[in-house]
Amino acid sequence: TIDSALSGVVPIPRVVELDRRQPEVTRTFAEYLAMTVSRQRIERGRQLMEEHGSLLDDLQLRYGVAPQYLVSLWGIETNYGGYTGGYPVIGALATLAYDGRRSAFFRRELLNALRIIDQGHIDAGGMTGSWAGAMGQVQFMPSSFLNFAVDYSGDGRMDIWNNTGDAMASAANYLRRSGWTPGLRWGREIRLPGGFDRSLVGLDKKMSINEWADLGARQADGSPLPSGAGISASIVQPDGGGRFFIVYENFRVLLRWNRSVYFGLAVGMLADAVATR
């Protein structure tokens, strides 16, 4: 496995360049949403919800994750498999392991990638992904693959690159095992009354939905929040702008996938959009 995977591997300068460029240029939340939750992506997501309806319904029964969240993650991560990254994962990880900035992390991921090849899920040539080594239609790092990937098709391989069933089941397994609560929303956009205490805004502040309602929080259209005495929630303001969102525990699960509040909100909003017409 080592001979087949590492033979001819050389550093990839572009990978180092992209790693050193992090974090990316700051975008406003509006700019981020325009990029990630576009009308075209919503329409394509609705088509795929219908096309893969039986698969997504089965995954909801198995894992308790509603179809729209899996479709949304698929859309935001790789534009529904349209762009999974063209870098050789072994070469990219070896480059970052050698570079030194985060070498310990990427050495572990390189060894995990070699284990995936050794187990026969894919060969080194087919293991492509992002410059940082995130792989397949749901962009799993090798460690996430080993922890959460699923052989939904039953062919003995966990193929998140080419098998949509394996990819969607792997995403559902990731969310469920990360604490996803079946039947609970991610959150919703809200409006706050004048004079609201802004020190209460932030993921470190938690109250029940009913308590937030008592403080004047309302749905974006002005209607009352749904009753939720036992549902823990926080209020976030993504970029200091004028929009506020109440978010539940499933939102925090999305942040385990990607720690960006922008990302979590986009996944939720795209999920809502593809689930409605």
Side-chain angles (χ1 to χ4, degrees):
T1 296
I2 290 172
D3 287 346
S4 67
L6 295 178
S7 177
V9 167
V10 295
I12 305 173
R14 178 63 173 161
V15 167
V16 177
E17 178 185 338
L18 290 168
D19 184 55
R20 297 287 171 82
R21 189 180 291 176
Q22 300 299 306
E24 295 180 357
V25 175
T26 301
R27 295 186 178 94
T28 67
F29 184 54
E31 290 169 339
Y32 182 81
L33 279 185
M35 179 180 67
T36 56
V37 191
S38 65
R39 175 53 52 186
Q40 181 180 20
R41 185 165 288 172
I42 291 169
E43 290 301 326
R44 180 61 177 149
R46 289 171 176 169
Q47 294 170 6
L48 290 169
M49 282 264 290
E50 184 173 346
E51 181 180 331
H52 296 286
S54 59
L55 164 66
L56 295 167
D57 288 344
D58 183 52
L59 294 178
Q60 183 171 14
L61 288 174
R62 294 190 187 200
Y63 299 101
V65 181
Q68 62 264 30
Y69 293 104
L70 300 179
V71 169
S72 180
L73 283 166
W74 189 20
I76 287 176
E77 285 290 7
T78 63
N79 198 25
Y80 307 113
Y83 183 72
T84 59
Y87 288 89
V89 167
I90 295 297
L93 292 174
T95 297
L96 292 168
Y98 175 78
D99 177 57
R101 192 171 80 85
R102 292 183 287 167
S103 58
F105 171 77
F106 286 110
R107 284 173 187 161
R108 289 193 298 270
E109 293 296 347
L110 175 60
L111 290 172
N112 287 331
L114 292 172
R115 290 188 182 97
I116 293 166
I117 295 169
D118 195 53
Q119 292 171 6
H121 300 294
I122 197 163
D123 59 32
M127 184 183 268
T128 57
S130 75
W131 63 265
M135 310 180 300
Q137 296 188 46
V138 289
Q139 293 290 277
F140 275 5
M141 291 298 291
S143 56
S144 293
F145 182 101
L146 292 174
N147 286 326
F148 303 111
V150 172
D151 175 19
Y152 181 81
S153 65
D155 65 358
R157 298 167 58 240
M158 298 183 292
D159 183 2
I160 64 172
W161 294 267
N162 307 300
N163 188 303
T164 298
D166 285 6
M168 293 298 97
S170 298
N173 188 44
Y174 185 111
L175 293 176
R176 187 70 176 114
R177 288 179 54 194
S178 297
W180 190 266
T181 302
L184 183 68
R185 286 177 55 87
W186 65 275
R188 66 182 74 241
E189 188 166 6
I190 59 170
R191 63 170 63 172
L192 298 176
F196 186 87
D197 183 358
R198 298 298 176 88
S199 70
L200 297 176
V201 175
L203 288 170
D204 58 331
K205 307 295 193 304
K206 288 186 179 183
M207 285 192 276
S208 73
I209 294 176
N210 288 359
E211 289 173 314
W212 288 117
D214 289 343
L215 291 175
R218 296 289 183 268
Q219 296 195 55
D221 63 4
S223 61
L225 290 175
S227 179
I231 298 177
S232 176
S234 299
I235 292 176
V236 296
Q237 185 181 22
D239 60 1
R243 301 181 74 174
F244 296 89
F245 299 82
I246 189 168
V247 295
Y248 313 143
E249 289 303 313
N250 280 349
F251 180 83
R252 296 177 187 273
V253 174
L254 293 175
L255 295 188
R256 295 187 184 184
W257 185 295
N258 183 318
R259 288 176 290 180
S260 164
V261 169
Y262 280 20
F263 173 86
L265 292 173
V267 171
M269 295 173 79
L270 180 58
D272 288 348
V274 299
T276 58
R277 288 190 179 275

